[in-house]
Amino acid sequence: MSTYTHELTTALLAVQRATLLTQRVFHNNAKGTLSKDDHSPVTVGDFGAQALIIAALRHNFPKDEIVGEEEASSLREKTPLAEQIFALVKESRLNNTETEEQLGGPVEDEEAMLAAIDAGSSAGGNKGRIWALDPVDGTKGFLRGGQYAVCLALIVDGDVKVGVLGCPNLPVDDAAPLSADVGGEGRGVLFAAVQGEGATSRPLTNGALAEGKRISMREVEDITQATFCESVEAAHSSHGDQAEIAKRLGITKESVRMDSQAKYGSIARGAGDLYLRLPVRKDYEEKIWDHAAGDLIVREAGGEVTDAEGKRLDFGVGRTLKRNKGVVAAPKGVHETVLKVVKEVLGNG
């Protein structure tokens, strides 16, 4: 039996419940936004999903720390928006009494919701149990109806032990070809991994967890036939460097651009092969919540994840990956080949 069975089940159910809220926000067209200090949009979905997940974590693991992306100060000044979010939080519950009780039931009131959002203020670090949460990763993708993910990972003494990604707009079918398209039925998937126990995918449901099945990365025998995933936003990853790397590797297939850690999930199940996030600024530090769950899921599916210099991502130095620059994720058999070209193009080789 896994050492982290309780943590995995809680994380899966908490992420599943939070995705119900994000989908309701999208379909009700309740996508009110605020602008953060860095001008990135924060939606009703971000706040609501963070409140639901942190409430579940605090119920099950009251002593654990949480590194969350959002904080509630702006909401406390905007009462109508807080009321709107609480109405959604209150309505977002799993339709299975037992699973809902596992998460601690509904959030009691608006103040409890704001307190839950603010409980994601841990500074991170390499000691103890710390959850890293991104309630809506790929906010711009979410706003336009593209790919986004609800992301949660447990880091113990700086090492990622449990990772869960909820991707409401990815196809359930692990064999579906990689595509930025999000139309049609049969969508919504939960990816998960526990260190040393492999990775799984299962359909998202609105109640008890569906059965999970093992996933693994595709073996790439001919690098020229590999499929790249990259970010939609040029501000997040250098598209020009990516194109040059593809050219030097002999890859002619067009990259599939999608938002969020859905890219990690996609390559982990063999729908794509390579994910690069290349530095766009020397001073930019990646956030731990943008990579922790995806990093573990890809590695447990048989992949290798490093930064652009070949170092493992270090989740134990605070809220950011300050010791790393960029991300290179690929099947183990070709990671070294890809990394060599990345270093050449970025001038690190």
Side-chain angles (χ1 to χ4, degrees):
M1 191 173 166
S2 168
T3 318
Y4 292 101
T5 301
H6 183 195
E7 288 84 349
L8 176 64
T9 303
T10 302
L12 283 164
L13 288 171
V15 167
Q16 181 159 275
R17 182 170 70 169
T19 62
L20 296 178
L21 179 141
T22 63
Q23 289 171 302
R24 184 177 283 124
V25 167
F26 184 79
H27 292 302
N28 291 356
N29 208 26
K31 303 186 287 287
T33 64
L34 293 170
S35 188
K36 281 195 280 199
D37 292 342
D38 63 359
H39 305 299
S40 59
V42 191
T43 69
V44 166
D46 286 270
F47 287 120
Q50 178 152 321
L52 281 173
I53 290 173
I54 290 181
L57 293 176
R58 290 173 88 189
H59 175 75
N60 283 276
F61 311 107
K63 293 181 178 174
D64 290 6
E65 292 185 26
I66 303 162
V67 173
E69 184 170 14
E70 313 308 342
E71 47 93 24
S73 58
S74 53
L75 282 186
R76 293 179 193 277
E77 297 156 17
K78 293 185 166 52
T79 310
L81 187 58
E83 287 170 1
Q84 179 191 0
I85 295 166
F86 182 62
L88 282 157
V89 166
K90 201 168 53 175
E91 289 166 17
S92 300
R93 58 186 70 187
L94 298 169
N95 67 7
N96 177 289
T97 309
E98 188 184 337
T99 53
E100 186 63 29
E101 283 175 359
Q102 279 179 263
L103 297 179
V107 176
E108 282 180 19
D109 52 34
E110 199 176 301
E111 186 48 48
M113 175 189 80
L114 295 171
I117 293 169
D118 275 340
S121 59
S122 167
N126 62 0
K127 293 282 185 288
R129 290 167 50 102
I130 302 168
W131 294 87
L133 163 64
D134 193 341
V136 177
D137 180 28
T139 302
K140 289 180 180 175
F142 171 66
L143 289 169
R144 66 169 169 264
Q147 295 299 344
Y148 70 97
V150 179
C151 314
L152 184 60
L154 173 63
I155 302 164
V156 180
D157 297 335
D159 207 14
V160 187
K161 299 294 187 183
V162 177
V164 172
L165 298 175
C167 303
N169 290 335
L170 278 182
V172 171
D173 182 4
D174 290 327
L178 188 64
S179 161
D181 172 51
V182 292
E185 295 298 309
R187 290 184 181 267
V189 60
L190 268 175
F191 296 103
V194 173
Q195 189 183 67
E197 295 177 22
T200 60
S201 78
R202 72 191 74 217
L204 276 165
T205 76
N206 57 7
L209 292 173
E211 193 68 31
K213 59 179 182 176
R214 293 293 287 260
I215 56 172
S216 58
M217 293 194 79
R218 189 164 58 192
E219 281 189 39
V220 177
E221 291 174 7
D222 179 356
I223 192 70
T224 66
Q225 298 306 303
T227 300
F228 264 119
C229 281
E230 64 176 331
S231 300
V232 174
E233 303 292 327
H236 292 167
S237 184
S238 172
H239 289 165
D241 287 339
Q242 167 111 6
E244 179 60 26
I245 289 161
K247 183 178 161 189
R248 292 194 192 190
L249 288 168
I251 297 171
T252 54
K253 272 195 242 177
E254 202 170 330
S255 291
V256 177
R257 289 183 180 173
M258 61 172 71
D259 295 281
S260 83
Q261 289 186 66
K263 294 184 284 291
Y264 279 113
S266 294
I267 68 169
R269 63 176 174 175
D273 303 302
L274 313 172
Y275 166 40
L276 301 185
R277 190 168 168 112
L278 304 171
V280 286
R281 297 198 326 260
K282 278 196 163 61
D283 62 339
Y284 183 72
E285 293 179 2
E286 297 282 352
K287 311 295 189 295
I288 64 171
W289 55 75
D290 282 332
H291 298 281
D295 169 88
L296 180 66
I297 289 165
V298 166
R299 289 188 292 109
E300 287 298 321
E304 192 77 48
V305 184
T306 68
D307 67 6
E309 294 170 351
K311 296 184 294 190
R312 275 280 306 277
L313 303 187
D314 187 344
F315 295 97
V317 286
R319 293 172 69 91
T320 67
L321 295 172
K322 56 174 64 101
R323 290 183 184 154
N324 301 108
K325 290 293 175 203
V327 177
V328 179
K332 276 186 180 161
V334 295
H335 185 275
E336 199 175 325
T337 303
V338 176
L339 181 64
K340 182 172 179 285
V341 174
V342 168
K343 287 179 174 179
E344 288 169 2
V345 170
L346 298 183
N348 298 331

